[in-house]
Amino acid sequence: MITIDPVTAVLSVVLFGAFTVPFIYHFQKNKKKDNLLVQKLKDALNTIGGNLDQFESWRHKYAIGLDTQKKVLVYHQEGEIGATFCIPLSEIKKVTVIKKTRELGESKKSVLEQLGLEIHYVSPTKKSSLVEFYNEEFFSDLMGETLLVEKWAELIRTNL
């Protein structure tokens, strides 16, 4: 049988706790941010009597949702340029994926600057709007936003 010194056991538990507590705290903090984003989507839809059926939040900054019964798209972005808006799908003519890129140096390497959905309206007087999914000013790398924007473009198209 292996015997463990009580001091070593206590020290091991203390060090393990000291190592894991920051990760648990960070996880809980991010979970609260995501829940707040989803709550903002729900609040925006509640003002028009809608119910959030499908939603997604990413990077603790963006959230998008859809009420499939009332056919309303809702979007929220945190930050200085933060905005929350609801768009009835009946006002949308088409949705396209926008990828703004720039070329770097002599190698002409293409770098993604912005990624989003461009919403074209039925009314010719309304300008198209951009629903941002990624902006290089805030983030240095992509974390699945290209797949996410394609998914939501297709989801909106099927509900038009």
Side-chain angles (χ1 to χ4, degrees), residues 8 13 21 55 59 61-62 67 89 94-95 98 105 109 112 121 133 141 143:
T8 305
V13 169
V21 166
F55 62 90
R59 298 224 185 222
K61 183 177 175 71
Y62 303 101
D67 180 353
L89 295 181
K94 71 176 184 173
V95 175
I98 297 296
K109 182 179 178 184
L112 187 66
Y121 295 99
F133 275 67
D141 61 340
M143 290 180 56

Side-chain angles (χ1 to χ4, degrees), residues 25 37 44-45 48 56 65 71 73 77 95 100 121 142 144 146:
Y25 171 75
L37 285 172
L45 276 175
I48 59 169
E56 197 114 26
K71 302 279 188 184
L73 176 70
Q77 178 182 351
V95 175
K100 293 182 182 177
Y121 295 99
L142 289 166
T146 52

Side-chain angles (χ1 to χ4, degrees), residues 1-83:
M1 177 169 237
I2 300 174
T3 58
I4 299 176
D5 184 29
V7 174
T8 305
V10 169
L11 186 61
S12 298
V13 169
V14 168
L15 289 176
F16 180 75
F19 180 75
T20 57
V21 166
F23 290 104
I24 293 169
Y25 171 75
H26 185 68
F27 175 77
Q28 292 295 329
K29 186 174 88 173
N30 288 338
K31 189 174 179 182
K32 284 181 185 177
K33 285 181 184 178
D34 286 341
N35 289 340
L36 183 63
L37 285 172
V38 172
Q39 188 59 46
K40 288 182 180 179
L41 289 181
K42 288 180 181 178
D43 291 345
L45 276 175
N46 284 340
T47 60
I48 59 169
N51 188 22
L52 194 61
D53 294 336
Q54 299 179 6
F55 62 90
E56 197 114 26
S57 66
W58 63 102
R59 298 224 185 222
H60 318 298
K61 183 177 175 71
Y62 303 101
I64 191 168
L66 186 64
D67 180 353
T68 53
Q69 296 295 327
K70 293 210 178 224
K71 302 279 188 184
V72 177
L73 176 70
V74 63
Y75 174 78
H76 177 77
Q77 178 182 351
E78 287 287 317
E80 295 173 8
I81 334 169

Side-chain angles (χ1 to χ4, degrees), residues 101-113 140:
T101 60
R102 63 182 162 88
E103 292 182 359
L104 284 179
E106 295 174 12
S107 64
K108 305 255 182 188
K109 182 179 178 184
S110 183
V111 175
L112 187 66
E113 285 184 328
S140 61

